[in-house]
Structure formats: C-alpha cells, structure tokens
Amino acid sequence: MKNNVLVAGGGIGGLACALALGRAGVPVTVLEQAPAFGEIGAGIQLGPNAMRVLSDWGVADALHEHASFPDELRVRSAKDGQLLGHMRLGASALAHYGHPYASVHRADLHRVLLSALLAGAPASLSLNARIASFESQADGVSLRLEAGQALQGEALIGCDGLWSRVRTGLLGPEPPRLTGHLAYRGMIPADRLPRALATNTVNAWLGPRMHVVHYPIRQGRWFNVVAVVQGRAGQGHAGSDPRQWSQDALTDDLLRAMGPLGADLQGLIDAVPSWTLWSLHDRPPMTGPHEHAQGRVALLGDAAHPLRPYLAQGAAMALEDAWTLGQLIDRHQHPVDWSSVFQRFARSRWQRNARVQAQSLRNGRIFHARGLVRWGRDTAMNLLGEKLMDNPWLYGGPPLPAE
C-alpha cells in the first residue's frame, strides 16, 4: 500500500483534514470531484472554537485580511424590529475565550486553507476525481474512481459532504432527510444597505416559521444575508436535484413565505440584488462512534454529522474534526496504526458533534416558534440576554482528544 492517506473532498473540511495531517507529517492525496478547487455559497460564521483551530495551524493571520469581526449579536423581531436580546462579541469574546468571533466568505477561508496546504504540507491534489467504490483491507484501502483509475492508501477519510459516497460505502445508502426548510442566500455591498443595517454586528430576525440572519464579511465591505423559511421543496426556480447547493430563486417567493415584515427587515430584503435557494437536508444526531469511523475509513464534517444552520457551527465542527485527527498522530510512530487513530478520533468527537446537531435542531424550533413558545422565547431573551445565548461549552473548544 502506498504510504499516504486518501482524503475524499476538496472543500473546507477536506483541505482542513489534509492540512492537519500534513502538519503531522502524513502524506495526503486529496480527491476533488469538481474540475477546480473552490467554494460555492457565501458567508459563514466562525466562533472562537473555530478560530482557535485556525490559530493553532498558523493561518488565522492570513484569514484576518479577509474576515470581519462583529462587535455584537442582536436578535430582533422580524415583524417590528424590536430588540429581543443581544450578546457581546468583539473584545468581549476575545477576552473571554482567547480568540475572536469572525464572519467570512466561504471562498476566502477555502483559499487560505488551500494556500497553507500548498505552502508546505506533503499533499497531492487531484481534480475530476469522483469516487466510484472502495474496499477496506487489513493493511490499507483500495479505491476506484469513476474515470477508472485505481488508487491505494493506508486509510481513507470521507470529507465529501452531505451526499458523501464514502459514507454510503461505510454505513449504507440511507439518504439525508429533507427538513422542509429552504435557505435563500444573498450578498450585498455595504454601501447599498440602509445605514442603520450596515453595522458591525450579526443580526438575527425571528418570525413565525422563518428567520433572517445578516452580518458583515470581507472587512465590512459586503454583507451576507440568509433567510430561512419553512416551505415545499422545489419552490420557485429550484430544480429537482436536491444535491444542488445554489439554485436561482425569486424574491417574490421569499416574501410570500416570510409574511409581514417590519420596515427595516423589508428594506434589507429589498436591497439584496439576487437570491439563490438551498433546500436544507440533515441527518439525525449521531448515535455512536461507529458513525464516525470503522477500521481504516473515517468520516469528517458533513459526511458524518450534517447540521442545520441554526448554531452557525457547520464549518467549525469540520475544522474541529480535522484538528482532533492531527492531534492524534504520533510523529514517532511508523507506520501509523490508522484503525487505532480512527477509533480514538471517533470516541473523541461523536458526542460533541451529536450535541451540536441536537442544539441546532432545537434552535431551529425556537427561532421559528409561534404562540406561547414564541412568547416564552422573547421573555427569556429579554430577562437572560447573554446568559441564554452564550455557549461556553462550545466556544471554549475543541476539547483535547479522549484517551
């Protein structure tokens, strides 16, 4: 078997995995099914736990050139703009957790990781490399691509996202579940926003069966906007392929799904020049370490534990997964006992990832609440504020690997 690890997927999770292993001296082959390396989508939020990982890898400074660092999280009513609660970020997050809270464009984070990988990690990158099948043996993994090439490696790590082929080969063909939630995404230059909305804050607007989030990216020059509504898959211009990340969408469809809005939020929605639509899928929270790894095959990020975007931790959990793997590599152990490493990795990660999955589900129900639940949510936010919204168990991570 070749002395390398095969990493399926060249997105944020795959590059993070390759970088973490490369820093530990492990040669890696990254297999990306697309014809070019890059990221689609728009903005993401990176809590102090994610920034701690990037700092440990020495790439946080490079990301600072592209990121924004919001001063505050504000939660507001979608109907009338009333402030429901807030949480300090900025200097407060830095003082409390030792690392900042950042918001970035996905493509900027991807470029930073790719540059770091190319700068010195022992990695080779292959494009148009779509996995057809693999077989795990006692001394390695054999893999075949759709184009016919056969590859061998000491281990295989599936970082190939929600519709992971590695997951299918490891755990069976159970597809992701359709959530009934639709995410409309857009970006807007800061100078096209109403002045009251172009602030260095993360704003979350909550309404019945919907919510909107907007925050600065690219050092405040742009704002990312995500509106999530509950509705029928295939609404508007969405195609029939649920695996498609970005599909053209109509503003009128979004406005009909959202219902009456306050003037500020209406102004924000009207200012977005165009929308893309993403039909949200997920999986139930993990139930055990077997869902993370078996033998010489492991799953990382969305391939193992896809999240609804209601805790802003999808990218962070992939980064934490990769960091944990890197921590488990003993530079003095040759060859690496991958089955043992993956077993420790799975024990270390599955419960935390399951908790984040469960919290994301819960947040979605709270964000979209109606009736008495909505009243209780608003009252609790008003009374408890930061104590309710802060997550020390989360932002203080990632935890060190389990023994």
Side-chain angles (χ1 to χ4, degrees):
M1 292 292 172
K2 289 184 178 179
N3 180 31
N4 74 329
V5 171
L6 304 173
V7 172
I12 288 173
L15 295 187
C17 179
L19 181 60
L21 295 184
R23 285 171 50 83
V26 176
V28 175
T29 298
V30 178
L31 306 171
E32 167 55 43
Q33 66 178 0
F37 283 100
E39 266 290 342
I40 57 175
I44 54 175
Q45 299 175 64
L46 297 174
N49 52 318
M51 294 302 293
R52 184 172 291 109
V53 168
L54 296 172
S55 178
D56 187 62
W57 290 340
V59 300
D61 287 346
L63 190 65
H64 276 230
E65 299 177 11
H66 308 283
S68 295
F69 298 92
D71 297 319
E72 187 180 24
L73 164 64
R74 295 177 185 168
V75 182
R76 304 172 66 177
S77 165
K79 182 177 180 180
D80 57 19
Q82 177 186 351
L83 182 66
L84 304 177
H86 71 97
M87 182 175 73
R88 291 169 296 168
L89 301 173
S92 180
L94 183 61
H96 194 177
Y97 295 110
H99 295 274
Y101 193 105
S103 50
V104 304
H105 195 290
R106 295 182 65 94
D108 294 334
L109 175 58
H110 188 273
R111 279 193 292 269
V112 166
L113 293 172
L114 182 59
S115 295
L117 187 63
L118 295 174
S124 60
L125 311 178
S126 296
L127 297 170
N128 295 306
R130 186 174 178 85
I131 293 175
S133 62
F134 68 87
E135 182 178 355
S136 183
Q137 294 123 6
D139 58 348
V141 176
S142 299
L143 180 149
R144 185 168 294 278
L145 302 179
E146 280 191 348
Q149 302 98 313
L151 301 172
Q152 295 180 316
E154 291 186 343
L156 171 63
I157 304 173
C159 306
D160 46 344
L162 177 68
W163 304 93
S164 168
R165 291 198 168 191
V166 178
R167 181 189 178 99
T168 297
L170 186 68
L171 299 177
E174 183 68 25
R177 61 186 182 184
L178 182 64
T179 66
H181 292 202
L182 304 173
Y184 287 77
R185 300 176 302 174
M187 289 179 56
I188 182 170
D191 59 11
R192 289 192 55 185
L193 270 179
R195 181 173 297 182
L197 300 180
T199 59
N200 191 35
T201 58
V202 178
N203 287 274
W205 312 73
L206 309 185
R209 295 171 57 87
M210 56 78 67
H211 79 282
V212 178
V213 179
H214 87 277
Y215 51 82
I217 57 175
R218 292 181 167 164
Q219 298 185 334
R221 297 188 301 273
W222 286 80
F223 276 75
N224 185 65
V225 185
V226 181
V228 180
V229 298
Q230 293 176 220
R232 180 175 57 86
Q235 184 173 331
H237 284 306
S240 60
D241 185 0
R243 306 185 187 203
Q244 192 171 342
W245 248 78
S246 295
Q247 307 170 65
D248 291 338
L250 294 176
T251 305
D252 287 347
D253 289 338
L254 172 59
L255 290 172
R256 277 193 295 269
M258 295 176 77
L261 305 176
D264 284 347
L265 181 53
Q266 184 70 58
L268 172 67
I269 300 301
D270 291 343
V272 176
S274 63
W275 297 93
T276 56
L277 178 61
W278 176 27
S279 183
L280 299 180
H281 292 70
D282 72 353
R283 295 185 183 275
M286 303 183 81
T287 60
H290 66 286
E291 294 185 43
H292 243 317
Q294 296 179 31
R296 289 176 176 262
V297 182
L299 301 174
L300 182 150
D302 281 353
H305 45 79
L307 299 170
R308 298 193 188 188
Y310 305 138
L311 195 56
Q313 284 288 312
M317 288 302 103
L319 294 173
E320 284 197 13
D321 283 352
W323 180 86
T324 302
L325 264 179
Q327 294 295 305
L328 290 169
I329 305 300
D330 184 351
R331 288 178 173 270
H332 304 292
Q333 180 187 8
H334 298 285
V336 175
D337 183 349
W338 286 106
S339 293
S340 176
V341 166
F342 286 167
Q343 186 178 54
R344 287 187 62 195
F345 164 72
R347 289 201 311 267
S348 298
R349 292 298 303 166
W350 82 268
Q351 288 177 306
R352 180 170 171 85
N353 285 322
R355 183 177 181 182
V356 173
Q357 286 178 293
Q359 184 67 47
S360 298
L361 284 168
R362 179 176 177 271
N363 279 5
R365 292 190 290 269
I366 293 172
F367 288 2
H368 293 194
R370 297 179 289 176
L372 288 176
V373 176
R374 178 186 179 189
W375 177 87
R377 175 200 69 198
D378 295 351
T379 302
M381 282 191 178
N382 184 54
L383 293 174
L384 298 176
E386 287 188 357
K387 292 182 180 179
L388 185 66
M389 291 185 281
D390 200 4
N391 292 287
W393 65 271
L394 179 61
Y395 297 144
L400 290 173
E403 293 298 328

